[in-house]
Amino acid sequence: MIPFISRSALSEQAVWVEELSKAMPHEEIALLSELTAEQKQDCDVAIVANPDPQDLLELPSLRWVHSVWAGVERMVQELSSPRFSIVRLVDPNLAATMSEAVLAWTLFLHRDMPTYAQQQSKKQWIGQPMVFPQDRRIGVLGLGELGKLSAQRLANNGFSVSGWSRNQKQVDGVSCLHGESGLISLLSQSDIIVCLLPLTAQTKGLLNRERLAHLPVGASIINFARGPIIDDDALLERLDCNALSHAVLDVFMQEPLPQEHRYWEHPSVSVLPHISAPTSPSSASSIVAKHINHYRLTAEIPLAVDPVLGY
């Protein structure tokens, strides 16, 4: 018996149980509440999506959990010293979907769509100066699975792309920087910043007032990572004084974004409801099934999250 544990709505949990059961017909998948006390005692693996830590404590024999989310920062934060391993989802389909969203919204900014939308509201017929892709400097923060593919897709579409990561990396067609000096260099030379960093103790508040000030006047930001990476007040200050031209935000400190938040009606902000790269239950279930099947045969746990790094 493998429990699926989540804080999501029961209807959403039911979808996951159905897809996981299809992918693993030889395993019995059920909600934690449906397990007997004896079954909970025997569980060595669980499948999770933002689980309540108290639920996991009901499984004393747990060796590892497989998240169906790519981001596991909340679980890592709430479980300071877990006795089991945490495996996050690495889904090539998710990376491809994210790269598509990154390209789409980069083009939205590159071709001045926010300006044309505002001009339309004022019935203004004004053509903006044309900038060729090779002259548009894109900076990608985070060169993990999502960031690497997104940076390559931008480069393949003719953009001048640089990337930043905590440690030195190499990505074809992308100028790679690292460390604090590399971050400042990347910010200072980017017309559009795309944030795809994991949320960790080191990245929380990374784009603060001081670092945002390094962006060129008129630069734009896309945040498809996690809301707490950007200082909201600092970003609004830069937008209010036209130091930055636009922000495309898909993630926020609090989700759903509160109705009273300034982002909703700010003329230089595009608000998205966390849809840049939704997880596919079917695709994710196939990956989880492959890992669990391998574990059943070998007792080997897949590559787990480093609790110190947070990813």
Side-chain angles (χ1 to χ4, degrees):
M1 180 72 75
I2 300 178
F4 178 76
I5 307 172
S6 175
R7 280 184 268 210
S8 60
L10 285 176
S11 57
E12 185 176 337
Q13 294 184 46
V15 171
W16 276 107
V17 170
E18 180 180 359
E19 290 296 333
L20 289 164
S21 298
K22 289 179 184 176
M24 292 179 282
H26 302 299
E27 298 278 2
E28 189 171 354
I29 314 296
L31 299 180
L32 181 66
S33 59
E34 297 172 346
L35 270 63
T36 65
E38 183 179 356
Q39 288 171 327
K40 290 178 182 179
Q41 289 286 326
D42 293 337
C43 285
D44 58 347
V45 59
I47 303 168
V48 303
N50 187 30
D52 185 329
Q54 293 302 314
D55 289 340
L56 296 174
L57 295 177
E58 295 184 31
L59 307 173
S61 301
L62 198 59
R63 290 192 64 207
W64 64 290
V65 300
H66 200 317
S67 175
V68 294
W69 287 11
V72 293
E73 65 281 346
R74 184 173 180 180
M75 202 186 333
V76 171
Q77 181 181 8
E78 293 179 338
L79 296 166
S80 57
S81 299
R83 65 178 187 278
F84 48 82
S85 299
I86 298 172
V87 177
R88 69 185 184 91
L89 180 71
V90 179
D91 186 348
N93 290 319
L94 184 68
T97 301
M98 178 62 83
S99 72
E100 178 185 66
V102 167
L103 177 60
W105 288 96
T106 296
L107 289 170
F108 170 82
L109 297 171
H110 169 62
R111 293 304 299 266
D112 294 309
M113 297 305 175
T115 301
Y116 287 122
Q118 291 184 22
Q119 288 180 185
Q120 180 178 343
S121 68
K122 301 174 184 177
K123 301 180 181 179
Q124 294 176 331
W125 187 280
I126 305 171
Q128 298 300 314
M130 177 65 191
V131 177
F132 291 106
Q134 63 266 28
D135 297 322
R136 186 75 76 185
R137 302 167 301 175
I138 314 296
V140 178
L141 298 178
L143 293 174
E145 295 297 324
L146 302 183
K148 178 181 177 180
L149 189 59
S150 293
Q152 289 178 318
R153 192 159 188 171
L154 290 168
N156 291 341
N157 278 270
F159 289 104
S160 175
V161 184
S162 297
W164 179 84
S165 55
R166 188 167 171 269
N167 300 307
Q168 182 65 52
K169 293 191 176 182
Q170 291 184 333
V171 180
D172 291 342
V174 178
S175 175
C176 297
L177 304 170
H178 70 286
E180 179 65 21
S181 61
L183 175 60
I184 300 307
S185 178
L186 182 85
L187 294 174
S188 64
Q189 66 185 27
S190 296
D191 301 311
I192 299 173
I193 283 289
V194 181
C195 184
L196 292 172
L197 291 163
L199 178 61
T200 67
Q202 289 72 38
T203 63
K204 185 176 182 180
L206 183 78
L207 295 179
N208 55 20
R209 186 172 284 101
E210 179 183 354
R211 293 194 181 98
L212 289 175
H214 287 284
L215 287 166
V217 173
S220 298
I221 289 180
I222 298 172
N223 188 10
F224 287 168
R226 288 292 184 265
I229 293 173
I230 296 182
D231 181 328
D232 286 340
D233 292 337
L235 177 57
L236 285 166
E237 286 176 12
R238 303 297 289 175
L239 292 168
D240 288 342
C241 69
N242 297 317
L244 298 179
S245 63
H246 204 82
V248 177
L249 305 176
D250 186 47
V251 289
F252 304 92
M253 186 75 71
Q254 180 181 341
E255 297 181 9
L257 184 65
Q259 293 290 314
E260 66 276 9
H261 203 287
R262 284 192 62 206
Y263 282 150
W264 281 113
E265 297 182 355
H266 200 290
S268 298
V269 176
S270 294
V271 171
L272 303 175
H274 206 141
I275 47 77
S276 56
T279 300
S280 163
S282 175
S283 176
S285 295
S286 296
I287 292 170
V288 172
K290 178 181 178 181
H291 288 165
I292 290 179
N293 289 339
H294 183 74
Y295 169 72
R296 294 298 192 211
L297 292 172
T298 66
E300 295 176 1
I301 297 174
L303 181 64
V305 170
D306 184 324
V308 177
L309 295 177
Y311 56 90

